[in-house]
Amino acid sequence: MKNPSTRRVTCFLCVMALLAASAWSQSTTPDPQREQRIQWWRQARFGMFIHWGLYAVPAGEWKGKPIPGIGEWIMNRARIPVAEYEQLARQFNPVKFNAEEWVRLAKDAGMKYIVITSKHHDGFAMYGSKASSYNIVDATPFKRDPMKELAAACRKAGIRLCFYYSHAQDWHERDGAGNDWDFPPDPQKNFAKYFEEKAKPQVRELLANYGPLGLIWFDTPRLITKEQAVEITALVHKLQPSCLVSGRVGHNAGDYDSAGDNQISVGLVRRDWETPVTMNDTWGFKKDDHNWKSVPVLIRQLVRITSRGGNYLLNVGPTAEGEIPQPSVERLREIGQWLRVNGESIYGTSPNPFTYNLEWGFITTREGKLYLHLLDWPQKQLTVYGIRNKIRNAYLLADRGRKHLAFKQEGDPAIDFYSTSIQLPVAPPDKYDSIIALEIRGGPNVLPALAQQPSGTISLEAHLADVHKATSGSVIAFDPRGVVTGWVDARDWLSWDFRIFRPGTYDLIALTTLRRMPRAAGPEWQGGHRMLVEVAGKQLRSTMSEDGRFVDPSNPLMTYVTSKLGQVTIDKAGAFQLALKAESMEGQGKLGLALAAVRLVPAK
C-alpha cells in the first residue's frame, strides 16, 4: 500500500512561457457540440502552418544587420518603430504567389488542413479588412486578397482552410499587447478598447467572408481576461458552429489544447492536442536560416505525435515574393510519398496503448489493428512484450499483397508476461519508418504496468513516477516534455513500480536534460547532486555527474545527459519499486534536477 500522501502527478502539455496564464484544461466533461466539431480534426492528424506577412521583406535583417531570433518577431526584436515598420507594406508585392500551387503542395504532402496567418503580432492583416486599413489590399502594391484565393483553392482541393489570428498581441496598436517601445507598457494600456475595436471586428470578417473555416488559431493571450477568452470563443461558435478554436485563445476556452512551439509531448494527455513545429528554426521567412530538419526527423515527429494522440502542424515560411522555400517543398514531397504508402497508420488512428515508449519505435492503433512503426529495423525478428490480444494476422503495411508474416505468441499469465515474436525480411521496406500491421479482435489489450523490454532494459520515464512531496509548498512538477522541474528540495522524491521478467545485473542510468532555454546567467546543465537509489532491498549512493550526451532523433531540440547511478543485481522475476531520492541538492532555487528518466540497462 502506497503512502496516502503520495499522488500521481500526470504530465499534461502546457503552452510556452508566454501562455502561462492559459493552463491546459483537465476537464473531460462531454460536450456534444464540440465532439461534432472536432471529428474531422481527429481524422486529419497532419496540417500545414503558414507564417506569411510583412516580416518576409526584411527576412531577418534590419538596416544591414542580422537580427537574432525568429523572423516574424523582427519588429519586436529590433524595436522597430511603427512608422518605420509600416513602410514595409510599400515593398510587399508577392507577384509569385499562387494559391493553387500552395494548396496542391499541402495536399501532395498528405496534409488535410492549412492554418495561415491572417494577422500576426505585427498587426498587419493579410486580407482585405474593413476594420483596419493596415492590410494587404489597401496598403500594398499587391492589391489582392490572398486569403480569398486560398479559400477558393482549398474548396476545390478538399482541404480545410483555417486562420491564425493574433487576438492579443498587436504591435501596431497603442492598446494591443506587446509594443512597449512606441507605446506605454502593457499594464497601462486600454486593452478592452483594442479588443472591441479591432480584434473582434476582424474575427467577424474572417468568419463572414471566406466560407466555412476549420478553425481559428488564436495565439499568445497576453492581457486577455477569462471573460474575453470565453466571449471570442463564443463569437466563433455563434458565427460558424462547426469552426474549432485553438487552445491558445486562453483560459481553457478552446476546443483542443496546443503544445508549446516545437514541443513534443511525452505520454498521453486527456484532451485533443496539437504541436506546431518549424522545418528550420524560424516561422516567418528568414534568409540566413538554413538549419533544416531532415525528412527522417520530420516523419519521426509525425509518427511520435500521432502515437500520443496529437496532430502535427508543420510550418512553412513563404518569401516576400510569395514562394515557399525549395527546401520546404522537397521535404513535404517526400513526406507525401511516405504517407501515400503508410497513411493508414496515421489518419484517424488512436494512440499507443502502452503508457511508455517502446525501444524500437512507436505504435498507433484503430479498432482491430495495431500499427508497429519500426524506426530501427531489427535483424530478422521483432519481439514485443505486453500484447495480450490474440493476433490474427501480421503483415508489412507497405506490402500491398498483404503477405503473411510468421509470428509466435507465448507467455506466463501468472507473472503478466506476454511475448510476441514476428519474423521479418532482412531489409526494411521503407528507409524512414517501416510498419507492421497486426490484426486483432476489438481494441488493444496490453499490460498496463511499466515493464522490462525484450532488450532487458527497463525505462522509468519521469512523468510516470509517483511524486512524493515533502510539503504542500514543494514546486516539483513536469514541463511539456515530461521532464521534472522544480526539484530543488532534497526532501522531495520519486518512485516507480515496475516488472522484471529476466533477472540479472543492471547499470542504473539517469537521463537529465540541458536547460530548455539557456540564458547568459547560470549553467546549461547542473550536476553535483548527491543521489540515493533504493531498489530490490538495496541502496546505492552516487554523485550526479555527466557521463555522456545524446539527442533523440525525433526531437532534436532536446539534449539528454547520462549519469551512472550505480549497479544493482535483481535475482528474481517479479514486481519491484525503485525510489530516487536526493541526499543533497546543488544550486537549490536554480536549475535543480531536470530528470527525464531512469533506466535499468543490462550490465555488459
Side-chain angles (χ1 to χ4, degrees), residues 47-65:
M48 175 183 279
F49 216 174
I50 303 175
H51 277 69
W52 193 39
L54 294 185
Y55 37 82
V57 176
E61 184 179 290
W62 190 251
K63 295 183 178 179
K65 294 181 180 180

Side-chain angles (χ1 to χ4, degrees), residues 158-181:
I159 298 287
R160 289 188 186 253
L161 178 65
C162 312
F163 286 134
Y164 171 111
Y165 184 82
S166 179
H167 62 316
Q169 287 205 86
D170 191 318
W171 305 327
H172 186 260
E173 306 298 331
R174 183 191 187 282
D175 292 311
N179 185 338
D180 59 2
W181 57 95

Side-chain angles (χ1 to χ4, degrees), residues 340-391:
R340 278 190 283 278
V341 175
N342 301 295
E344 177 189 324
S345 70
I346 299 294
Y347 304 122
T349 57
S350 297
N352 177 12
F354 292 97
T355 58
Y356 50 87
N357 290 318
L358 287 305
E359 54 194 1
W360 40 262
F362 303 108
I363 297 180
T364 55
T365 70
R366 67 174 72 250
E367 186 75 5
K369 280 190 179 178
L370 300 175
Y371 300 101
L372 313 184
H373 294 257
L374 275 65
L375 303 176
D376 298 306
W377 190 254
Q379 292 294 319
K380 297 184 180 180
Q381 178 176 287
L382 173 69
T383 300
V384 183
Y385 287 171
I387 298 176
R388 290 165 160 171
N389 296 87
K390 180 177 177 56
I391 297 171

Side-chain angles (χ1 to χ4, degrees), residues 27 166 190 204 261 273 311 342 598:
S27 170
S166 179
N190 184 355
R204 287 192 186 95
D261 295 353
W273 68 279
N311 279 23
N342 301 295
V598 174

Side-chain angles (χ1 to χ4, degrees), residues 12-316:
F12 292 102
L13 288 174
C14 59
V15 295
M16 57 187 175
L18 284 173
L19 308 181
S22 177
W24 276 46
S25 170
Q26 299 180 14
S27 170
T28 55
T29 304
D31 179 347
Q33 290 182 322
R34 174 186 171 275
E35 285 299 304
Q36 186 175 3
R37 278 194 296 270
I38 207 164
Q39 287 305 315
W40 72 266
W41 189 87
R42 286 178 181 156
Q43 293 292 317
R45 290 295 180 220
F46 189 29
M48 175 183 279
F49 216 174
I50 303 175
H51 277 69
W52 193 39
L54 294 185
Y55 37 82
V57 176
E61 184 179 290
W62 190 251
K63 295 183 178 179
K65 294 181 180 180
I67 304 301
I70 47 183
E72 72 283 1
W73 274 66
I74 191 169
M75 182 181 178
N76 177 287
R77 297 284 192 256
R79 315 289 280 183
I80 302 171
V82 167
E84 290 185 33
Y85 192 84
E86 284 178 337
Q87 303 310 308
L88 294 175
R90 299 180 181 180
Q91 305 172 47
F92 192 69
N93 191 20
V95 293
K96 295 181 181 179
F97 167 71
N98 185 310
E100 293 200 353
E101 286 183 2
W102 285 17
V103 172
R104 188 180 306 116
L105 176 62
K107 187 166 187 174
D108 289 348
M111 293 160 154
K112 302 299 184 182
Y113 59 109
I114 290 174
V115 181
I116 185 168
T117 48
S118 63
K119 189 202 76 168
H120 204 265
H121 308 325
D122 63 357
F124 185 76
M126 291 293 290
Y127 71 97
S129 174
K130 301 298 183 185
S132 169
S133 61
Y134 193 50
N135 70 75
I136 192 170
V137 175
D138 295 325
T140 77
F142 190 58
K143 300 299 181 187
R144 286 159 49 192
D145 187 335
M147 302 300 123
K148 283 194 178 295
E149 295 173 32
L150 276 170
C154 284
R155 284 194 295 272
K156 182 178 177 181
I159 298 287
R160 289 188 186 253
L161 178 65
C162 312
F163 286 134
Y164 171 111
Y165 184 82
S166 179
H167 62 316
Q169 287 205 86
D170 191 318
W171 305 327
H172 186 260
E173 306 298 331
R174 183 191 187 282
D175 292 311
N179 185 338
D180 59 2
W181 57 95
D182 281 304
F183 307 122
D186 285 356
Q188 298 177 24
K189 294 178 179 179
N190 184 355
F191 179 77
K193 181 176 187 292
Y194 159 78
F195 188 72
E196 293 295 329
E197 294 182 1
K198 184 173 183 182
K200 284 168 58 179
Q202 287 194 328
V203 169
R204 287 192 186 95
E205 290 175 338
L206 294 171
L207 291 162
N209 298 330
Y210 298 90
L213 301 178
L215 63 91
I216 300 288
W217 213 96
F218 294 111
D219 196 14
T220 63
R222 291 169 57 172
L223 304 184
I224 288 277
T225 65
K226 182 176 182 179
E227 291 73 21
Q228 288 166 335
V230 169
E231 180 184 2
I232 203 163
T233 299
L235 175 65
V236 173
H237 291 158
K238 177 182 178 181
L239 296 179
Q240 287 204 25
S242 297
C243 185
L244 294 167
V245 172
S246 77
R248 294 195 187 184
V249 69
H251 300 281
N252 304 326
D255 289 301
Y256 65 89
D257 295 327
S258 177
D261 295 353
N262 286 298
Q263 291 295 321
I264 297 177
S265 149
V266 296
L268 300 177
V269 294
R270 291 186 185 179
R271 292 233 302 169
D272 299 278
W273 68 279
E274 174 186 67
T275 289
V277 175
T278 56
M279 277 204 214
N280 49 0
D281 293 330
T282 187
W283 301 88
F285 178 69
K286 193 173 182 182
K287 60 187 176 184
D288 64 351
D289 183 357
H290 307 296
N291 188 30
W292 299 97
K293 295 178 180 70
S294 67
V295 173
V297 166
L298 297 172
I299 288 177
R300 281 172 181 253
Q301 288 185 332
L302 169 62
V303 174
R304 182 173 183 164
I305 289 165
T306 304
S307 78
R308 290 166 180 170
N311 279 23
Y312 188 47
L313 189 59
L314 186 58
N315 184 74
V316 298

Side-chain angles (χ1 to χ4, degrees), residues 404-542:
H404 174 77
L405 296 174
F407 63 88
K408 180 181 180 181
Q409 289 186 278
E410 56 186 343
D412 183 353
I415 60 170
D416 263 341
F417 176 67
Y418 306 88
S419 176
T420 302
S421 298
I422 306 163
Q423 300 302 311
L424 300 175
V426 174
D430 190 279
K431 60 183 177 180
Y432 301 131
D433 172 17
S434 299
I435 299 156
I436 299 170
L438 300 181
E439 293 181 350
I440 58 176
R441 288 191 184 277
N445 179 12
V446 303
L447 179 67
L450 283 168
Q452 189 172 37
Q453 294 297 293
S455 69
T457 295
I458 304 100
S459 185
L460 308 177
E461 298 170 31
H463 70 100
L464 296 174
D466 284 322
V467 179
H468 305 259
K469 292 188 174 185
T471 69
S472 59
S474 294
V475 294
I476 184 171
F478 298 102
D479 73 7
R481 306 166 300 169
V483 174
V484 172
T485 62
W487 192 356
V488 294
D489 189 332
R491 297 170 298 170
D492 295 333
W493 56 287
L494 306 178
S495 67
W496 297 262
D497 295 322
F498 64 94
R499 292 183 179 275
I500 288 278
F501 304 126
R502 289 156 42 197
T505 299
Y506 300 89
D507 291 327
L508 272 64
I509 309 293
L511 272 60
T512 52
T513 66
L514 302 186
R515 293 186 71 166
R516 185 173 163 195
M517 294 181 181
R519 295 290 186 262
E524 65 174 0
W525 182 82
Q526 186 166 327
H529 312 294
R530 288 287 301 165
M531 305 306 296
L532 170 65
V533 177
E534 298 175 342
V535 60
K538 302 174 180 67
Q539 291 188 332
L540 295 85
R541 287 178 167 84
S542 62

